[in-house]
């Protein structure tokens, strides 16, 4: 049968099976749906979009909080042959307009929380006024929910969904997947981090990030259940764990916040069977805490990118053996190379440009052919990460090329500084960055979150670093923070920390693009 590798088709298959039709697929704060109900809701959205005059291939932007209706709109758009495009709702209206310009949306579907942002984009808006109400799914999707004959199945090669990049160096770009590449990516997630229909996945990530794929769509592909929370809250996450959630995924800062919550000790953490963390470097103490805090969980760490999905990772056994640094090994099907300036593979341990190719990678940046050509090259995807590879194939990311600090003519990679600082017993989190310096060109600075009740001083930290870092890599300045700020994609916001430091030194020095 042609064009079967589409997510809507696969979910329809699950929903039609006797053991799958009545099994719960999704739950949020306002209600839940079975697989059969989810498929019916997505089909009704597809019919509603077509009735509203939209055509296959047009972009359907969603400006909504994470919710069951939001999932139904995304799946409905794809089922109708349109392109779903979850919008980063943390963007300002000018930022959203800039991001959406190359996408040329046909409509923006919004819930009440983000209706104003949707209208400010200047595009046609369909508001779902009851999206967050405790009502049946048809009412929550009104006026988009329309009963009728579902449209024909989309082609595997047709664009299916767009994810925005982090936009840390300017306007985000929309990396798009076809139905086939999306299906292959989700299938890789299911196999690489094994899931079953008995799993209950807790999802507290935003839908505009690729964790929508790894944390929500992949569990659905496996026939599992997903509990959706509108945003991360440590207490709510622990309540879900106590209520039966068995799988967790998030950034290290989220697990640290859960551990510090007063309800942590009482939560039934022994029910958790799997944990996946990523997005930021994590020290050995963090991993050791996870291993002891969730004794029955298989813990995995992963590395991916908006342009690639998941491509590398390391398993529970690696962590249990004390291998905490780096991003692990390539997943089956992913070709990972580290290239030097001459375009050849570097020797083991030597830093170079990370280049990745895999069958499930995004197909380019929607509406941006020049940017697509620059990043999606014949030899693989060049995402700007600098990496080194050990003789056994273990990969370590040392930083982004744009984040590299050049001090006194020497290159310093922020990650190598952070890895050392994180080993200090009184440091809970750290982020390295460069600042302009009249003598060195740039100097290495470090932002640190001390462990609760502790004090960290620059002289002591510098002395600690000297045993592991060359002199020019040792931080020359220290900023103490309550928490490392995160981007919308839950990654450390190096740009914000650097801008804050610049602003303190010289308010006129900060020039955002």
């Amino acid at each position: 049968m042609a064009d079967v590798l589409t997510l809507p088709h696969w979910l329809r298959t699950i929903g039609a099976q006797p053991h799958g039709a009545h099994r719960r697929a999704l739950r949020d704060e306002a209600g839940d749906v079975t697989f059969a109900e989810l498929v019916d809701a997505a089909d009704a959205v597809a019919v509603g979009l077509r009735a509203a005059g939209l055509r296959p291939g047009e972009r359907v932007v969603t400006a909504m909080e994470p919710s069951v209706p939001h999932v139904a709109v995304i799946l409905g758009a794809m089922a109708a042959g349109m392109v779903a495009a979850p919008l980063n709702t943390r963007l300002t209206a000018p930022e959203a307009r800039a991001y959406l310009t190359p996408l040329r949306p046909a409509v923006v579907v919004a819930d009440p929380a983000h209706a104003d942002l949707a209208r400010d984009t200047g595009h046609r808006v369909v508001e779902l006024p009851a999206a967050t109400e405790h009502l049946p799914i048809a009412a929550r999707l009104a006026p988009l929910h329309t009963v009728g004959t579902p449209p024909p199945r989309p082609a595997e090669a047709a664009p299916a969904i767009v994810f925005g990049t982090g936009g840390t160096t300017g306007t985000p770009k929309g990396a798009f997947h076809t139905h086939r590449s999306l299906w292959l990516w989700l299938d890789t997630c299911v196999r690489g981090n094994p899931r079953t229909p008995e799993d209950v996945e807790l999802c507290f990530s935003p839908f505009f990030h690729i964790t929508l794929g790894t944390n929500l769509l992949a569990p659905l592909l496996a026939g599992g259940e997903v509990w959706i929370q509108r945003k991360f809250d440590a207490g709510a996450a622990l309540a879900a764990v106590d209520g039966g959630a068995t799988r967790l995924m998030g950034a290290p800062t989220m697990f640290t916040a859960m551990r510090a919550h007063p309800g942590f000790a009482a939560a039934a953490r022994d029910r958790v069977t799997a944990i996946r963390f990523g997005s930021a470097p994590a020290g050995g103490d963090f991993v050791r805490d996870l291993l002891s805090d969730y004794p029955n969980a298989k813990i995995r760490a992963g590395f991916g990118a908006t342009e690639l999905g998941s491509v590398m990772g390391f398993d529970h056994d690696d962590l249990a053996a004390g291998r905490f640094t780096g991003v692990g090994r390539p997943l089956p099907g992913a070709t990972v190379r580290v290239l030097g300036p001459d375009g050849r593979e570097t020797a083991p341990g030597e830093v170079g440009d990370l280049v990745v190719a895999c069958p499930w990678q995004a197909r380019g940046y929607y509406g941006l052919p020049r940017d697509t050509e620059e990043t999606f090259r014949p030899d693989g995807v060049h995402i700007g990460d600098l990496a080194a590879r050990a003789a056994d194939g273990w990969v370590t990311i040392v930083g982004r090329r744009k984040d590299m600090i050049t001090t006194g003519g020497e290159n310093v990679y922020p990650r190598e500084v952070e890895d050392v600082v994180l080993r200090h017993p009184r440091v809970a989190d750290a982020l390295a960055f460069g600042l302009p310096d009249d003598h060195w060109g740039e100097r290495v600075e470090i932002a640190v979150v001390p462990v609760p009740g502790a004090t960290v001083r620059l002289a002591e930290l510098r002395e600690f670093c000297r045993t592991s870092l060359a002199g020019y890599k040792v931080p020359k300045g220290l900023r103490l923070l309550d928490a490392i700020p995160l981007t919308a994609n839950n990654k450390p916001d190096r740009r914000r920390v650097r801008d804050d430091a610049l602003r303190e030194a010289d308010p006129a020095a900060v020039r955002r693009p």
Side-chain angles (χ1 to χ4, degrees), residues 301-372:
F303 172 84
T306 308
E307 295 85 351
L308 296 165
S310 304
V311 290
M312 285 183 281
F314 46 106
D315 294 328
H316 185 90
D317 291 343
D318 296 312
L319 296 170
R323 199 165 193 178
F324 304 138
T325 59
V327 294
R329 307 173 187 85
L331 298 179
T335 300
V336 176
R337 295 184 297 156
V338 179
L339 305 182
D342 58 359
R344 298 180 180 180
E345 292 222 39
T346 59
E350 186 178 332
V351 173
D353 289 293
L354 181 71
V355 179
V356 181
C358 56
W360 58 87
Q361 68 192 42
R363 292 324 192 227
Y365 298 122
Y366 201 97
L368 298 170
R370 185 171 298 177
D371 291 300
T372 296

Side-chain angles (χ1 to χ4, degrees), residues 30-366:
D32 56 34
V33 291
T34 65
F35 275 92
E37 290 168 338
L38 177 60
V39 169
D40 288 345
D43 283 345
V45 169
V47 173
L49 290 170
R50 296 293 293 270
L54 276 73
R55 302 182 301 276
E58 292 190 307
R59 275 68 60 206
V60 177
V61 171
T62 54
M64 301 176 66
E65 295 181 335
S67 66
V68 173
H70 195 170
V71 179
V73 174
I74 289 171
L75 294 174
M78 290 194 289
M82 298 160 196
V83 187
L87 178 65
N88 180 351
T89 51
R90 299 173 189 173
L91 297 176
T92 64
E95 289 172 329
R97 287 194 294 269
Y99 168 66
L100 294 177
T101 295
L103 268 62
R104 294 177 288 113
V107 69
V108 180
V109 181
D111 60 15
H114 301 295
D116 288 343
L117 173 63
R119 284 188 285 269
D120 286 344
T121 66
H123 298 283
R124 177 186 177 186
V125 175
V126 172
E127 184 178 350
L128 310 183
T132 59
E133 301 294 327
H134 291 263
L135 295 169
I137 188 62
R140 297 178 70 184
L141 287 166
L144 207 51
H145 190 282
T146 306
V147 177
T149 303
R153 185 186 306 159
E156 290 178 5
I161 193 167
V162 177
F163 291 102
T165 60
T168 55
T169 57
T171 301
K173 298 182 284 290
F176 75 93
H177 280 276
T178 63
H179 285 274
R180 181 180 179 84
S181 68
L182 175 64
W183 199 98
L184 292 174
W185 167 32
L186 302 182
D187 184 62
T188 295
C189 293
V190 170
R191 296 175 186 275
N193 190 10
R195 290 175 166 90
T196 71
E198 286 69 44
D199 292 328
V200 178
E201 186 115 9
L202 181 61
C203 178
F204 41 63
S205 298
F207 281 10
F208 50 80
H209 185 260
I210 62 169
T211 47
L212 175 68
T214 52
N215 199 195
L216 191 147
L217 299 181
L220 290 181
L221 187 81
E225 183 178 339
V226 183
W227 294 355
I228 302 169
Q229 296 185 336
R230 286 182 298 167
K231 62 180 180 179
F232 173 73
D233 176 84
L238 287 170
V241 168
D242 208 41
T246 63
R247 298 180 67 96
L248 308 176
M249 177 178 175
T253 52
M254 296 175 175
F255 290 103
T256 301
M258 291 169 64
R259 193 171 201 266
H261 192 273
F264 181 77
R269 290 171 280 112
D270 57 334
R271 300 178 188 172
V272 177
T273 59
I275 288 177
R276 181 179 175 88
F277 69 88
S279 297
D285 287 343
F286 166 78
V287 176
R288 280 186 283 268
D289 288 342
L290 277 186
L291 290 169
S292 64
D293 291 342
Y294 301 89
N296 297 323
K298 291 292 185 182
I299 299 173
R300 294 177 173 85
F303 172 84
T306 308
E307 295 85 351
L308 296 165
S310 304
V311 290
M312 285 183 281
F314 46 106
D315 294 328
H316 185 90
D317 291 343
D318 296 312
L319 296 170
R323 199 165 193 178
F324 304 138
T325 59
V327 294
R329 307 173 187 85
L331 298 179
T335 300
V336 176
R337 295 184 297 156
V338 179
L339 305 182
D342 58 359
R344 298 180 180 180
E345 292 222 39
T346 59
E350 186 178 332
V351 173
D353 289 293
L354 181 71
V355 179
V356 181
C358 56
W360 58 87
Q361 68 192 42
R363 292 324 192 227
Y365 298 122
Y366 201 97

